[in-house]
Amino acid sequence: MTQTASRRAFLRGQFSQRRVMRPLGALAPEAFARACTGCMDCAEACPEGIIITDSDNLPVVDLRLGACTFCGDCLNACETGALDADTPWDWKATVTDDCLSLNGVSCRTCEDQCDEQALRFRLMTGGRAQPIVDPELCRGCGACAAACPAGAVTFTHQDPRPDLQHDGVNPC
Ligand code: SF4
Ligand code: SF4
Ligand code: SF4
């Protein structure tokens, strides 16, 4: 599907409601689809190299590649208004069942990476431990996701509209 066709399909409501992790300051999905030209200036400006192109030729953040420092360079590079400094970064980390610790393998890598101390572990039977993210402390930076050896950290958007509360880490 071409970018124009995919945007048209989006505006006609033919896309699933799965929220995609667009760069810092991204407008709500419909408005972003209208404003973003796919120029990828944001990706070129990102010093962390974590913005890639998705299957719709639009920018998406992949926190498995590295953490976001919230420097704002992507936002400042965007000339179309698709990225707006007033839009909060409403992503929070969640841990999936692929977590090593949850499956009895000793690991605290995510906890070690979290400067906010948003992760803690609840001990379980059988030498297992369940990682728990405190949404009040989590900034959605992705340091845990980038370091996790099992790829077990994903992100959920805290959009108040229920139909948009879906996982958002998978870029393509
Ligand atoms: S710089 Fe702006 S218009 Fe260009 S791809 Fe990034 S978000 Fe879209
Ligand atoms: S780094 Fe990944 S595998 Fe290790 S405890 Fe954290 S979520 Fe589990
Ligand atoms: S996304 Fe950042 S703040 Fe949130 S748990 Fe992971 S490392 Fe901590």
Side-chain angles (χ1 to χ4, degrees):
M1 190 183 291
T2 66
Q3 183 187 334
T4 304
S6 68
R7 182 173 292 115
R8 208 179 296 128
F10 180 94
L11 295 173
R12 284 200 305 261
Q14 293 175 356
F15 277 145
S16 73
Q17 294 285 5
R18 186 180 175 85
R19 185 92 175 210
V20 176
M21 186 180 276
R22 300 301 182 196
L24 188 67
L27 303 178
E30 297 88 345
F32 181 84
R34 285 191 203 94
C36 178
T37 61
C39 68
M40 299 306 286
D41 287 351
C42 51
E44 286 180 31
C46 175
E48 307 303 321
I50 59 174
I51 302 176
I52 60 175
T53 308
D54 71 4
S55 55
D56 295 316
N57 291 321
L58 295 176
V60 64
V61 176
D62 188 344
L63 293 177
R64 293 168 300 190
L65 300 176
C68 177
T69 64
F70 304 109
C71 66
D73 285 0
C74 54
L75 204 157
N76 294 329
C78 180
E79 296 182 348
T80 69
L83 306 180
D84 180 347
D86 289 336
T87 309
W89 183 255
D90 277 341
W91 293 94
K92 304 290 180 185
T94 56
V95 180
T96 72
D97 291 346
D98 292 333
C99 166
L100 298 179
S101 181
L102 204 50
N103 290 284
V105 179
S106 178
C107 179
R108 294 290 189 276
T109 305
C110 52
E111 183 181 37
D112 293 343
Q113 295 296 318
C114 182
D115 291 340
E116 308 303 319
Q117 298 184 319
L119 277 151
R120 62 185 175 83
F121 285 79
R122 184 170 63 85
L123 296 180
M124 304 167 70
T125 57
R128 299 176 299 140
Q130 180 183 20
I132 297 171
V133 180
D134 184 339
E136 297 297 321
L137 296 177
C138 177
R139 299 193 308 139
C141 69
C144 52
C148 175
V153 183
T154 186
F155 291 84
T156 303
H157 194 269
Q158 306 296 298
D159 195 297
R161 291 171 293 176
D163 60 341
L164 288 173
Q165 289 179 344
H166 295 278
D167 292 344
V169 75
N170 199 357
C172 301

